[in-house]
Amino acid sequence: MKNNTNTIEEEARKISSAEFRRRVEEGKLVSLDYGKAGVAVHDGKQTTLKNASEAFDFVKENYKGWALVGENSHFGVPRTNKSLAQPWKSEYLLKLYNELEEKDIVFRFAPQQSTPTTLAYSNFDPIKDKGEVNDSIALHKYVTDHRKFCLKKPPACFEEDSVRKEGYSMKDAMNTSLNASKTNAYGARDPELVEKHLDRLSRNSLDPTINTLKKILGSIKKNTFIDLTARWIYDNIDEIESKLSETSRSAFMKYSAKGSLVGFKMPQVYAVVNSLMGKPDIDENNQLYINDQLRMREYQNELPYWNFAKKHLFCYTPHHQKGGVAASNLKYHGQRHWVASKAKEQGAVFKTVEISAKGRKTTKFKPKFKILQEGNGELFSSLRGDYVKSVQELFNIVRKMLVSEKI
């Protein structure tokens, strides 16, 4: 059993998350799931199937004073013309949330991508056993046993607030910068960088067309791309490295056998730095380049702090969708590999390498539900948390350096 329930505060609700947890521990938890057969209502002892039009009347009549949980995609998102996964429209849902509180029922939403994990935890097969009845049973057990499971409060409205809109706008600008920089090998086509940091550029480049000294020198004769953000990173990487903890160094830096810094993981470092500086721009020759302008919050007129960046720029929240290029660089291309590497040091296998008949290597990462089934769920969560802390550490170091430069 873990610590306090972690909830995302969308809007204030009268009944607290602590009260939700207290009811769970008293055995007063009802879990819901929606599917082809209707809404499955599970209270820990029995499961009742109801159609969508009568399910919540049943809950209100029978579970006053209880905690209620369901998947966000079904119960926290209104129906639109594009999706039938949500049976209820926004007007109904907003009215429902208020009615449930009036009946002293605390409603919370589970992340929609968590179903395979909850099924595996209850020893169901996440593929063969998936269905509204099993899903509701598995969700009930998982919420009961995991106090830190991140649950979301029902919103007071479904309109996007100004902070979220600002996050979307900043993330879109980051996507443009990151895609442009990635296409040009994160600075490997910038003449000034090639002159000053050729050796490190060759060690950092993951692009097979421009990953050696010879290829880089040949490339800039045909095509150049100015990347002022990449210049800042290369000019300051030694200072950044000196301030990182040992764990964070292992996440972002590359060392020789003797322990000297020979390179760093540029896609991940660039993603973090770009949340604080660097926007796509057009120079006097009408050419696209990445400038070194600071990425200021619109209304605060200051650089974003970690909490904003974590939620809106890197999308490190269970309820996010469409994380963007920075999130992909960090989670998909960085975090997965680092977590698997650290797990291997402790005797756990989170990824395998398969070799085809033609000799081609394919890396396969185990899905989280299989890691859970093998008994390594806590190790996985702990290592993933360590990586996020490393991202935070790097972010805060860079932010402090940029603020000092500005003064």
Side-chain angles (χ1 to χ4, degrees):
M1 301 279 285
K2 313 277 166 89
N3 234 340
N4 295 330
T5 302
N6 182 20
T7 60
I8 294 178
E9 302 288 340
E10 291 294 336
E11 291 286 349
R13 284 282 165 187
K14 296 176 183 178
I15 310 177
S16 69
S17 297
E19 175 62 18
F20 176 91
R21 190 67 228 173
R22 187 188 68 78
R23 297 181 186 192
V24 171
E25 293 179 351
E26 287 182 351
K28 292 183 176 182
L29 174 66
V30 177
S31 56
L32 308 175
D33 192 70
Y34 172 72
K36 293 180 180 179
V39 179
V41 183
H42 181 73
D43 63 9
K45 296 180 179 179
Q46 62 181 7
T47 307
T48 306
L49 278 171
K50 294 289 182 180
N51 63 46
S53 63
E54 64 181 7
F56 285 104
D57 287 336
F58 175 78
V59 170
K60 287 183 283 187
E61 290 172 6
N62 293 277
Y63 296 104
K64 184 177 181 180
W66 285 52
L68 181 68
V69 66
E71 188 177 302
N72 183 61
S73 64
H74 296 316
F75 306 103
V77 179
R79 182 172 187 163
T80 66
N81 294 329
K82 296 180 180 179
S83 175
L84 298 179
Q86 300 82 22
W88 302 281
K89 294 184 178 180
S90 59
E91 296 82 2
Y92 176 88
L93 288 176
L94 294 176
K95 181 181 178 183
L96 170 68
Y97 302 152
N98 291 329
E99 289 177 349
L100 288 171
E101 284 208 337
E102 290 171 1
K103 292 287 185 179
D104 194 26
I105 297 172
V106 197
F107 201 9
R108 295 293 183 266
F109 305 137
Q112 65 192 65
Q113 298 172 341
S114 61
T115 302
T117 298
T118 60
L119 285 168
Y121 184 76
S122 291
N123 296 317
F124 288 121
D125 186 298
I127 299 174
K128 296 179 181 179
D129 297 330
K130 182 170 174 54
E132 51 270 20
V133 172
N134 289 345
D135 288 359
S136 66
I137 294 171
L139 179 60
H140 190 284
K141 180 172 176 58
Y142 199 87
V143 172
T144 299
D145 292 352
H146 292 78
R147 296 181 183 177
K148 279 190 175 180
F149 191 37
C150 192
L151 302 175
K152 182 178 179 180
K153 290 184 176 183
C157 68
F158 290 109
E159 296 177 3
E160 301 286 3
D161 59 42
S162 59
V163 174
R164 192 181 296 270
K165 288 179 179 178
E166 183 182 14
Y168 290 153
S169 177
M170 293 176 74
K171 190 167 63 176
D172 286 344
M174 287 172 60
N175 287 342
T176 302
S177 299
L178 286 162
N179 280 325
S181 187
K182 177 182 178 181
T183 301
N184 291 281
Y186 294 108
R189 290 194 175 97
D190 187 316
E192 181 176 310
L193 274 174
V194 172
E195 183 179 348
K196 294 172 62 177
H197 301 286
L198 180 58
D199 184 59
R200 276 187 178 172
L201 282 167
S202 66
R203 293 175 184 274
N204 289 341
S205 179
L206 301 176
D207 185 343
T209 66
I210 191 171
N211 62 351
T212 66
L213 302 180
K214 184 177 180 180
K215 289 178 180 178
I216 291 174
L217 291 172
S219 177
I220 62 169
K221 292 179 181 179
K222 305 173 185 177
N223 185 19
T224 62
F225 182 82
I226 305 302
D227 193 332
L228 300 187
T229 299
R231 290 183 187 181
W232 188 91
I233 293 171
Y234 275 93
D235 288 344
N236 290 277
I237 196 64
D238 290 300
E239 180 180 349
I240 292 171
E241 187 268 350
S242 70
K243 296 177 179 179
L244 288 171
S245 65
E246 184 177 347
T247 298
S248 297
R249 288 175 183 172
S250 72
F252 300 115
M253 302 295 152
K254 299 177 183 178
Y255 297 92
S256 67
K258 295 182 179 180
S260 60
L261 180 67
V262 294
F264 52 95
K265 299 171 184 177
M266 186 57 160
Q268 289 72 51
V269 174
Y270 198 105
V272 173
V273 175
N274 191 236
S275 70
L276 294 161
M277 70 177 297
K279 299 180 180 181
D281 207 345
I282 302 296
D283 65 16
E284 62 274 11
N285 297 315
N286 203 34
Q287 296 296 311
L288 177 70
Y289 77 105
I290 306 300
N291 65 28
D292 55 2
Q293 182 180 337
L294 297 183
R295 196 177 301 283
M296 311 294 279
R297 292 286 306 278
E298 182 177 359
Y299 298 107
Q300 289 81 357
N301 194 32
E302 61 181 353
L303 289 170
Y305 284 93
W306 169 247
N307 285 340
F308 177 87
K310 177 184 178 182
K311 181 174 182 179
H312 297 288
L313 305 183
F314 304 137
C315 299
Y316 271 117
T317 58
H319 297 270
H320 82 273
Q321 296 294 317
K322 298 180 180 179
V325 181
S328 176
N329 280 8
L330 291 169
K331 300 177 190 177
Y332 189 82
H333 298 290
Q335 177 179 292
R336 291 195 310 163
H337 293 275
W338 186 85
V339 167
S341 175
K342 291 299 178 182
K344 186 177 180 180
E345 294 176 5
Q346 300 187 43
V349 178
F350 287 179
K351 74 173 180 179
T352 58
V353 178
E354 298 180 0
I355 303 177
S356 68
K358 295 182 179 180
R360 183 177 179 180
K361 292 184 179 181
T362 303
T363 300
K364 291 190 175 182
F365 289 85
K366 290 182 180 178
K368 186 181 177 182
F369 72 82
K370 284 197 173 182
I371 293 173
L372 271 174
Q373 288 174 331
E374 294 172 355
N376 291 315
E378 288 192 10
L379 174 62
F380 175 82
S381 295
S382 175
L383 290 174
R384 186 174 59 179
D386 288 342
Y387 189 88
V388 177
K389 289 177 183 176
S390 292
V391 175
Q392 179 181 5
E393 184 180 336
L394 175 60
F395 176 91
N396 286 335
I397 288 171
V398 172
R399 188 185 190 282
K400 188 174 181 178
M401 291 173 66
L402 292 173
V403 170
S404 296
E405 289 179 7
K406 184 183 175 184
I407 297 175

